[in-house]
Amino acid sequence: MNPACAQSPSDRPVFRLDGGGMTYSFGVNERDELQQIYWGGRLGAQDAIAAPRSMPEAASFDSSYNNTPQEYAGWGAGLYMEPALKVTFADGNRDLVLHYVSASPSTGPHEQVVDVALKDISRAVTVILHYSMDAESGILSRSATIENHEPKPIVIEQAAAAAFALPPARYTLSYLSGRWGGEWTLNQETIRQGQRVLESRRGTTGHQLNPWFAISKTAPGSAVEEEHGETWFGSLAWSGSWRISVEQDTLDEVRVVGGFNPFDFGYQLKPGEKLDSPVFYAGYSKDGMGGASRLLNRYTLTHILPQAPNPRPRPVIYNSWEATEMNVSEAGQEAMAEKAKLLGVDRFVMDDGWFGQRKTDHAGLGDWYVNQEKFPNGLKPLIDKVHSLNMDFGLWVEPEMVNPDSDLYRKHPDWVLNFPGRPRSEERTQLVLNLARPDVRDYVFGFLDKLLSENQIAFLKWDYNRNWSEPGWDQLPPEEQKKVYVAFIRNLYSILAELRAKHPGVEIESCSGGGGRVDLGILRYTDEVWPSDNTDPLDRLTLQDGFTHAYPAQAMVAWVTDSPHWLNNRSTSMSYRMLVSMQGSLGIGGNLNRWTEDDLATARRLIAAYHQVQKTIVQGDLYRLISPTHGSEFSATETVSLDKTQAVFFAFVHSTQEGRSFPRLKLLGLDPAATYTLSSIEGKAAEGTPTKASGAWWMNHGIDLALRGDFQGAAFRLDRQQ
Ligand code: GLA
């Protein structure tokens, strides 16, 4: 018997998916609805799971339909909780009741897979639910395909990827919010009756909320635990308008529904057409928020990133943006490249300003030819220079945008998102090209393909500096225009996929004015993301802390920039700035012409040290030992390589007061029986600290650091003795 489909004694099908430390189970109830049975810690293989029975009616106002947690509920039959699917039929009928039809399970060596077909009780609308459970991590991927076999079109007003349920308990919801320059704030709040909506209506992922959540079981009044306690989590792989709703029903059960944002949605399906939802990943850990993020981030490294399962640690980059902004030139960039090389940088990236008539952000976007004044001989001399310094070359592009002051816009004013006859709202004096249009898609693919074919470019920083407005697509009949929400993003993904296939050596960063487009959808096609335009190191500590809950340090580019910092006017030492950025994929983004000899020497020394331990830092298991949030004076992170042969830890103090010592750091995740040698990357341990001790010592006794002052940092490595 296939474990993905264990027949229950009642003869109604029950499905059971086991992976890592998690079991997920659902089955067909007596009304033929597909009902969730269980989502949590792994059950015994011998445990029989009975087919579900619908929840009883609690009162005439709390119907059984509403109380029963369906796997994918159509809006109909008195459902008041968030539906997964809502449609309008051509005759005006809006009642949709999905019943189980069939299932096709298939189990591979690494995952259990099952497709379950549902169909409306009378109309020819079917939904195929796709489930795939990763055997190792227990990460479950879920998505849905909606098919119209009716003789007339239907309009999909709401379509989720998946719905999940948790039984009544006291829960805390964690989610990430922010704004430009201040992304990745971790919010935690008690889940109460009613709905908490996490969403973007912006046509893109957004800085404001990220499509990730975690739900922790908490005792009344207690905080969410970092390393203990049950945690359920999910991440929606979609880079367009999205929504995740977390809702506690009147009987205290919690439901999570995530997928396309229903706001302004209206996807017409003609007879025979279908719509695929994004993928919603979900998982479970009994080891708190730390355990949850280690599982999800490992999965991203091994299953999502373009180079999965073995993404190479990112080259240390130099990026010119903060140093020169748009004032780039052949001589200026070449001089900077020479300086970058002396630091030990691997990749030189030229940012905005090299193309079209780009002098300020008022012109040029859309005209992807090399600016003749700044680069009279094209990009080749600069690229050759960078190669002669033994670095590879990367370039900034913002392919989906156009300035009204550009040749492209003058030629194709109809190519932007707009409603004819209505104003076109500019942001940063730019408009959004309608990538859903096939001609725009071809143009964007075409110029990028040409750029990559004609130049030796190893890396693109793909930017996206505004959100949508007036999202019209007037090429299509009115009833089809709202398809833009899906078609735009699918074309974005297809361009990225096609470029990667044609230029396999090219690596890509997703940037959107910082962290405006970070999600597991874009991370299938991009190797790294730019988490924030805010590079102030103190702010970065909290940004990075939030980021790592949902995404791995491998994908987290972290530049070291100038002091005092342009945003906060805070002055910090080079050592502090370097150590903060070394917790992610390190880059240098300052004006090297202004760095002192001491600064350059510190950066050079720490880049060399980073290169030695980078893989452990960005791909190891991360333990957030002390969180920098809530005004904490201290913070610390530790990462341990998968084979436990190496650990690296960082510690930071904001401002020492009253002579307080840094809290003793008890490390985690080491092999207790092995012996580890401690060496300093930067900073000192307290006097008397052994240089060699067991994993048990470092974890149980812990280590005291000599770390005091304002904005001070330290970093150490532990290497296991052979
Ligand atoms: C965005 C990016 C920056 C930089 C500028 C260039 O703001 O986030 O890093 O590339 O655009 O205009």
Side-chain angles (χ1 to χ4, degrees):
M1 186 171 55
N2 192 315
C5 177
Q7 209 66 24
S8 75
S10 70
D11 273 356
R12 283 188 272 117
V14 166
F15 304 88
R16 173 180 175 162
L17 301 166
D18 299 288
M22 175 166 121
T23 296
Y24 189 84
S25 175
F26 52 97
V28 179
N29 69 19
E30 78 289 354
R31 283 199 297 260
D32 283 338
E33 296 156 352
L34 196 65
Q35 181 176 334
Q36 186 187 301
I37 300 173
Y38 178 78
W39 176 23
R42 190 160 181 159
L43 305 176
Q46 70 282 19
D47 294 328
I49 302 179
R53 287 203 65 77
S54 64
M55 303 285 282
E57 176 179 292
S60 58
F61 301 95
D62 278 315
S63 75
S64 170
Y65 299 108
N66 202 47
N67 298 340
T68 301
Q70 290 188 52
E71 282 290 288
Y72 201 84
W75 185 71
L79 178 74
Y80 311 110
M81 297 293 290
E82 196 63 50
L85 184 62
K86 182 175 184 320
V87 305
T88 296
F89 290 87
D91 62 356
N93 170 46
R94 304 193 304 282
D95 184 54
L96 183 76
V97 176
L98 296 170
H99 278 185
Y100 172 80
V101 179
S102 62
S104 35
S106 60
T107 291
H110 303 299
E111 71 265 301
Q112 287 173 291
V113 176
V114 60
D115 277 2
V116 181
L118 310 177
K119 187 187 155 300
D120 179 65
I121 48 176
S122 70
R123 306 281 176 116
V125 168
T126 57
V127 177
I128 313 294
L129 300 181
H130 311 285
Y131 295 82
S132 176
M133 168 69 96
D134 178 43
E136 200 183 331
S137 61
I139 300 285
L140 173 66
S141 358
R142 286 191 57 186
S143 61
T145 303
I146 301 133
E147 299 174 359
N148 179 20
H149 301 292
E150 287 279 286
K152 294 203 171 144
I154 63 168
V155 177
I156 300 176
E157 280 142 14
Q158 179 162 353
F164 299 95
L166 290 170
R170 175 93 179 184
Y171 295 109
T172 298
L173 171 70
S174 300
Y175 62 96
L176 294 161
S177 71
R179 60 187 166 85
W180 175 84
E183 302 88 334
W184 312 110
T185 301
L186 182 70
N187 304 275
Q188 299 191 312
E189 61 196 33
T190 302
I191 298 179
R192 299 185 196 283
Q193 248 189 41
Q195 218 183 51
R196 184 69 163 105
V197 173
L198 311 176
E199 68 170 350
S200 161
R201 298 180 175 194
R202 296 165 181 266
T204 188
T205 324
H207 301 74
Q208 291 71 18
L209 288 158
N210 193 264
W212 166 89
F213 75 91
I215 293 177
S216 316
K217 204 158 176 183
T218 39
S222 66
V224 171
E225 293 225 32
E226 179 66 15
E227 292 297 337
H228 304 281
E230 290 196 282
T231 305
W232 296 260
F233 56 92
S235 188
L236 187 67
W238 187 241
S239 314
S241 290
W242 59 272
R243 189 173 78 161
I244 297 173
S245 61
V246 180
E247 187 175 17
Q248 191 174 47
D249 71 10
T250 46
L251 306 179
D252 294 336
E253 194 172 74
V254 171
R255 313 257 188 104
V256 180
V257 181
F260 296 123
N261 195 325
F263 180 81
D264 198 36
F265 202 74
Y267 196 99
Q268 192 200 54
L269 274 192
K270 297 208 179 87
E273 285 184 346
K274 58 182 188 175
L275 172 64
D276 290 317
S277 81
V279 177
F280 203 174
Y281 296 95
Y284 166 86
S285 171
K286 59 177 178 34
D287 299 323
M289 298 291 281
S293 61
R294 285 189 290 277
L295 275 179
L296 182 59
N297 291 342
R298 168 92 21 238
Y299 185 82
T300 302
L301 288 168
T302 53
H303 290 78
I304 305 263
L305 290 174
Q307 294 177 3
N310 287 310
R312 68 172 184 129
R314 314 302 307 132
V316 172
I317 60 166
Y318 176 81
N319 179 293
S320 61
W321 173 245
E322 287 196 21
T324 60
E325 298 208 330
M326 290 177 202
N327 302 319
V328 291
S329 67
E330 193 179 301
Q333 294 289 298
E334 287 186 10
M336 203 68 93
E338 277 177 4
K339 295 212 160 79
K341 181 62 207 175
L342 293 176
L343 295 182
V345 162
D346 307 307
R347 168 172 288 171
F348 184 84
V349 183
M350 177 160 65
D351 211 278
D352 197 350
W354 60 269
F355 54 90
Q357 296 308 309
R358 187 79 162 164
K359 294 195 178 75
T360 66
D361 59 15
H362 284 55
L365 288 174
D367 297 341
W368 298 104
Y369 57 83
V370 179
N371 182 295
Q372 285 299 305
E373 278 169 50
K374 300 180 186 181
F375 297 91
N377 306 305
L379 296 178
K380 192 165 186 305
L382 172 60
I383 295 178
D384 287 349
K385 174 74 182 186
V386 167
H387 288 165
S388 76
L389 294 166
N390 219 2
M391 297 185 287
D392 65 23
F393 180 77
L395 194 63
W396 181 95
V397 286
E398 194 177 356
E400 297 137 284
M401 298 290 167
V402 66
N403 288 115
D405 185 0
S406 66
D407 298 342
L408 185 73
Y409 188 72
R410 283 182 281 272
K411 201 165 160 204
H412 297 289
D414 56 322
W415 275 13
V416 299
L417 290 175
N418 79 98
F419 293 117
R422 306 283 305 168
R424 299 168 176 206
S425 303
E426 292 175 19
E427 287 163 24
R428 208 193 192 202
T429 48
Q430 62 196 57
L431 297 167
V432 185
L433 290 173
N434 183 358
L435 203 61
R437 289 174 60 125
D439 46 3
V440 174
R441 187 221 175 266
D442 290 348
Y443 168 77
V444 169
F445 175 80
F447 86 72
L448 288 167
D449 181 36
K450 186 162 180 278
L451 198 61
L452 295 177
S453 303
E454 291 176 354
N455 301 284
Q456 282 187 280
I457 294 172
F459 170 81
L460 290 177
K461 175 178 171 184
W462 184 304
D463 214 336
Y464 182 86
N465 275 313
R466 62 161 290 180
N467 298 144
W468 291 12
S469 58
E470 299 101 15
W473 183 3
D474 65 323
Q475 268 189 319
L476 296 189
E479 64 279 11
E480 289 183 49
Q481 291 188 8
K482 288 181 177 172
K483 284 187 171 173
V484 69
Y485 285 105
V486 178
F488 187 115
I489 308 303
R490 293 261 147 83
N491 276 354
L492 166 66
Y493 291 161
S494 84
I495 292 171
L496 287 163
E498 209 178 322
L499 282 175
R500 294 198 79 111
K502 201 162 167 202
H503 306 277
V506 172
E507 298 180 330
I508 304 177
E509 173 177 303
S510 171
C511 172
S512 172
R517 190 152 67 184
V518 182
D519 58 79
L520 293 187
I522 203 79
L523 278 170
R524 288 202 198 102
Y525 308 99
T526 57
D527 305 87
E528 58 186 51
V529 299
W530 181 226
S532 180
D533 277 346
N534 182 351
T535 53
D536 173 76
L538 180 66
D539 286 358
R540 276 271 164 170
L541 285 177
T542 40
L543 290 168
Q544 292 179 174
D545 179 78
F547 183 97
T548 58
H549 281 84
Y551 304 100
Q554 163 85 11
M556 181 175 78
V557 180
W559 302 346
V560 173
T561 59
D562 294 340
S563 173
H565 192 265
W566 57 269
L567 186 61
N568 292 331
N569 199 26
R570 178 177 293 114
S571 297
T572 52
S573 69
M574 178 56 67
S575 155
Y576 181 76
R577 278 175 274 154
M578 283 293 300
L579 293 175
V580 169
S581 293
M582 284 163 67
Q583 293 172 101
S585 284
L586 177 64
I588 304 292
N591 188 344
L592 302 182
N593 296 324
R594 296 207 200 115
W595 287 18
T596 64
E597 279 308 317
D598 273 1
D599 283 348
L600 294 167
T602 303
R604 187 163 42 241
R605 173 170 57 78
L606 289 175
I607 289 175
Y610 176 78
H611 272 133
Q612 285 178 20
V613 290
Q614 181 180 1
K615 191 160 183 198
T616 298
I617 294 173
V618 295
Q619 296 186 10
D621 275 335
L622 172 69
Y623 298 89
R624 290 176 290 262
L625 298 178
I626 306 175
S627 164
T629 55
H630 305 302
S632 170
E633 190 179 336
F634 310 106
S635 69
T637 63
E638 177 202 359
T639 40
V640 183
S641 65
L642 280 194
D643 59 5
K644 296 185 190 287
T645 55
Q646 188 173 68
V648 178
F649 61 95
F650 293 87
F652 300 92
V653 60
H654 179 293
S655 301
T656 302
Q657 288 186 297
E658 298 165 355
R660 250 192 304 279
S661 306
F662 199 89
R664 182 170 290 179
L665 277 185
K666 295 190 176 187
L667 301 183
L668 293 169
L670 303 174
D671 175 354
T675 301
Y676 291 88
T677 311
L678 177 78
S679 25
S680 164
I681 293 171
E682 184 80 334
K684 287 199 187 102
E687 235 172 272
T689 303
T691 47
K692 249 184 234 167
S694 66
W697 171 278
W698 301 119
M699 293 194 289
N700 297 330
H701 176 278
I703 172 168
D704 292 319
L705 301 179
L707 187 57
R708 275 156 210 254
D710 292 344
F711 309 119
Q712 297 295 313
F716 296 83
R717 55 188 278 187
L718 285 168
D719 291 282
R720 188 164 77 185
Q721 286 203 327
Q722 295 309 321

